[in-house]
Each structure stands twice: as C-alpha cells, then as structure tokens.
Amino acid sequence: MSLRDQEAFLSNIHPFEVLSSQQMNKCINNMDIAYYPKDTTLITPETIPNYYFIIIKGIVHEYRDEQLVMDYHQQDSFDANSLIYSKTKSTFKVHEDLICYELNKNTFLELLEQNSEFKEFFLNNLVKKIQTLKTKEYTSQLSSFMIAKVEDTLIHDPCIVKKGTTLKDAIAKSIEYKTSTIIVKKDKEYGIITDSLLKMKVLLTEKNLETFVEDIAIFPLLTVFNDDYLFEALTLLIKKGIKRVGVINSNNELIGILEQLDVLSHFANHTFVVDTQIKKAKNIESLKSASKDLINIIRALQAKGVKVNHISNLIGQLNTKVYKKLYQLIVPENLQNDACFIVMGSEGRNEQIIKTDQDNALVIKNGVDVEQYREYMNQMTNTLIDFGYPPCEGNIMVSNPFWCKNVKDYETETSRWIEAPDMQNYMDLAIFFDSFAVAGDKNLLIKLKDNLFNKLHDKDVFLAYFAKATLTFDTPNTIANFMTKTHFIDIKKTGVFPIVQGVRSLALREKIRETTTIKRIKILQNRKEIDNELANELIEAFEVLSTLRLKSQLAQVNDKGKIDNEIDTHTLSKIERDLLKDSFKIVVAFKKFITFTFKIDKIL
C-alpha cells in the first residue's frame, strides 16, 4: 500500500482526519503493516502492547472477565486505553485472521500531545467506555435525590381556618379545597385536623358538628421550610411516623402542605407528583411546569431498566392529560364538546417518549362553524411548542386548516386518500388511522373510523399498496452492513418503521381500533393472522429497537443536541449489537411475510 493509499485510509478513520499534514506524515512513517493468525492474543492485563492497532482486514474480539464485550472490524482501532494509562482490564484476541497497521506507542502518545482535538477524542472515548449510560443515569438520579429542595416537589394549597370556626364550616371549606386536611390557625401557631382525627374524635364520640375546630385539632403542626432539603423532610416524616407536614417560608407563613406520598413519589420517579400537578393546574403556566418534568420521569424509569413499552405507555398517558387540560384551558367551555381533539402518528400509538414533534388534529361536528375554532387551535399549537413539543415538519397540527375541519370534510378526505392514492395520501391515511381521541366528543372520531372501515371493503389492491410502504427503507441483514459501512444508523427507518407500518397494514385490513403497535400484534395473534412465534419475535424486536432509540435520544437530550432517530453503532456494547443484529433479522423476515400476505410482488 502506497503512502498516498495509507493517508487516504487513515483520513477516513476518525479522528485521524484532524491531524495536520506534518502529523499525518509522522504517523505514516512510524506505522508498519502486521499479520496475526486467528486466536492470537494481542493484549492482556499482563501484556501491554507497544502499538496502537488499526484494522485493515479481519476481526478482533475484546473480552472482560472472560465475557465478550466488543468486536472490532475493518477500520476499527484499539486500544488507546492501555497505551495512555499503561494498563487495561481487557484481553484482545484475533477472531478472524488479522491484517492491521501498528502505530508505534511513542508516536501515538506524541500525537496526543501535539494535537488537542486528537487527544480529546481518545480521552472522551475512554470516559464513555468506563462509564456506561446506566451508571451516569444512576449517578444523576442519586444527585437529584440528595439535593432536591422541598419547593422542588408538589406542595398542596393549605385549607386554613381560624379558631372559632365550627367543624361543619371547616369540613365544607375542605371539600371546596378538595383536601382531607384542615389547618387551624390559633394566634401565632398552626394545628391540623385529618380524616383519621375526625373519625376518632368526632364520629366515634358523636361530637356535635358545631364544635370549634381548635377543640379537635392537634397542636402544633410540624413544619419544614420551603428551601429545606427534601431528604430532611422525608427523614422527619419517617421519624415522627406522620403522613404530612406544613411548609413555611422565610417569614414563617404557612404556604402549603407536603404529603409523604408526594415525597416518596419524587424520590421514585416523580410520576404521581406530575400527574397531580396536571390535574390541579389552573392556568397554562402551571401546566407547562408540570409537563417539563416528564423528561425526569423518562430518565428515572430508563435508568431503572423499566421496559420501554411501559415507559411509553406511562408517558403517553401523562401527555394525554396535558393535552386534555390544555384543551380545557384554551377552548371555551361552550365549544369543547362540539369537537374532538385527537393526537395521531406515534403520539396516537402511545409510542413517542421523547418530544420529537406534534401530530394532532381537530374534528368538528357537522353544522358547527369551523372558523370559531381557528384562533384557539393556533393558540394550542403555539402553547405546545412553548411546552417543548416541537412543531411538525409536515405541518400536521391543528393550526393547519387541513387538520381542523368538520366530520363531512374528513369523510371526503378519507375517500380521496383511498380512491386517488399516492405517497402523501398513504402517509396521511397512516397517520390518521393511528389517531386517538384525548378531549372533547370522542364519538366524532369513532364514527369517522367506522366510515373509513366501510370504505375499505374489497380494497385489496389499495391495501397492498398501503402495505408496500413497509419495504420503503432497507434493513441491514448482517452486522458488518452497519458496523463497517457507516458510523450511524437511522433505527426508525431500518427497524421501527417496518414493524409499525407492517402491523398497521394488517390492523387496517382487520379493522382493529387499537392503535398501540404491541397491542395490535397481540390482537392479530389472537385472531390467528400471525402465528405465535412471529408475534413474540416482533414484540421482542420492537422492544429492542425502541430501547436503543430511547437510549440514544436521552444521550442527545443530555448533550443538548438535535433529537433524531440515529444511533451511534460504535457506542453499542457487544450484547446490544447482537440484539440489534437479531432484531434486524426479524424485521427482514417480517418484510417477507408482509410481501407474501398482501401479494406485494404482484403490484411491483
């Protein structure tokens, strides 16, 4: 291989392209080509090499504690770790006859010192190898646990009554506040009346409801400051064996009640706290605050190893509550039940975990003026953007008149999608078929889907073209396809979409109303439309692909980068790469099944 060929080869391997011409020449002049047969051991904890290896051809496996943790292919390189720190916990063994470049250790270390960008890559890479994402997430959650303040969690508005108030009036006020806790203010101190206290001191003793509250209340109310550490509040609750404490500010004014359940939920995954905040939100700003906490729930659940379909279901439910509450806050009450606000696409399937875009629409009763909704739908879209739900690039949002119209206009539209099919119409139909009603009159959507199913009777050719979209993107069938040809892979196009679209096509043909992909698979399995083996394989593959996508997207959120569907294959562990490879095999097999089932080869 000539010097020019060597330079071209190295320039295609990151981070060698950042070297200056002089540094590149130095690298090439201190680099030799070597050959090692299969089963040769190159590096061990006891044998640190004098070279940095760059693979020209062959495969090398890295083992740790006798477990295979990574394999290296053409254009992969290793092991900067052992060269920089003169130690390693891994063993590197040739798995397939190896031809490689050997870069002299001293030269490699000199290049690190001469080129900061070159050095940064290897040091950052080392950190990523030492600290797995799960460890980082656990550390992050632990830090949040220790430094969270009382004011960072849910504080309930206090129902305060003055001494001299009768029990009857106090209970009436607590019902107005929707709470079971009554705070009694007597001079400069506070007391508390709980449900259990009312049972013991009022019901069991048949005490008159005209009794004054100070005769029943327990004084003093135990309190914490709003800027105390939440961990300290939890300690107090546990130590005293109580379920709630008062929260006071720096002026010793009671500003709320802290419940034990809320504290425990905060330290678990914040779910209950967020759910309650959404329910109690009285304005858009408080609802926005609640929706911002969803990412913390996602991080906590993912770090704890919760299955991705459970995470998506939980987040989907919370998102639905956000949409419903926002609809109620923005749309006048007299207009709310004359329309149905729906979410579509991945949101409709409960499969959008990280906020990547918003797909939504409004279905309005026939005979109701659509124009009176325009202003409110524009506000819906803009508010959701402000909440962190990015706008849809395809403008599939309620602010677009195309997705805000009467039932009869949607019926006309679905007829056009079927009778004059093209790629855009297939996409619109697919998105709409996944729609889910979140607010307003849900019967409007039910009737629209009934109308759609009736139109699809005896439309085998249309369904075949609709199912053909399953084959739109290529799926790698071997690990080498995506490990050596490219650093990144769009996991949605290559794996997630084919499963979603194939299952969606079968569900449309079978008139299945369920929108979630995994639930659709189980219904198809029960109806014998797909056999048990394929159904189970699809569920497992979908779980693996969705998990890898979520892991990558959370890393992008942490890095404040663009949220997309690409995963960095070089960051995958050996186990993850094997799971990905097996999942792709299932996707490839499923594409063949869809081709056969819908006779797609007949329309190609």
Side-chain angles (χ1 to χ4, degrees), residues 543-593:
E543 176 79 18
V544 168
L545 297 168
S546 300
T547 299
L548 291 176
R549 178 169 65 165
L550 175 59
K551 176 183 174 181
S552 177
Q553 289 180 338
L554 281 174
Q556 291 168 348
V557 170
N558 292 338
D559 294 338
K560 294 181 170 53
K562 179 183 178 182
I563 309 301
D564 56 32
N565 296 294
E566 288 196 336
I567 63 170
D568 182 350
T569 57
H570 287 191
T571 65
L572 300 180
S573 68
K574 173 58 180 171
I575 294 175
E576 287 173 328
R577 282 160 56 179
D578 282 347
L579 287 170
L580 182 58
K581 178 178 64 177
D582 291 341
S583 298
F584 280 153
K585 287 181 180 177
I586 293 169
V587 173
V588 170
F590 183 54
K591 285 182 174 181
K592 293 178 181 177
F593 173 81

Side-chain angles (χ1 to χ4, degrees), residues 269 271 297 301 309-319:
N269 57 39
T271 305
I297 296 175
L301 295 176
N309 65 301
H310 295 318
I311 298 176
S312 64
N313 181 58
L314 174 61
I315 297 302
Q317 295 299 324
L318 292 175
N319 273 323

Side-chain angles (χ1 to χ4, degrees), residues 304-364:
K304 292 174 183 176
V306 178
K307 283 192 172 184
V308 71
N309 65 301
H310 295 318
I311 298 176
S312 64
N313 181 58
L314 174 61
I315 297 302
Q317 295 299 324
L318 292 175
N319 273 323
T320 295
K321 292 183 179 183
V322 170
Y323 283 126
K324 183 175 182 179
K325 175 66 74 168
L326 189 60
Y327 182 83
Q328 293 170 346
L329 289 172
I330 289 178
V331 179
E333 189 173 353
N334 65 308
L335 295 179
Q336 289 178 13
N337 290 325
D338 282 340
C340 178
F341 185 86
I342 64 177
V343 291
M344 304 182 292
S346 58
E347 288 184 294
R349 297 193 307 273
N350 251 3
E351 290 164 8
Q352 185 183 105
I353 301 177
I354 302 294
K355 300 171 184 177
T356 54
D357 66 358
Q358 48 174 300
D359 293 330
N360 45 56
L362 191 73
V363 181
I364 304 165

Side-chain angles (χ1 to χ4, degrees), residues 174 193 222 246 282 492:
S174 71
I193 299 176
L222 293 178
K282 296 178 180 178
K492 179 180 179 180

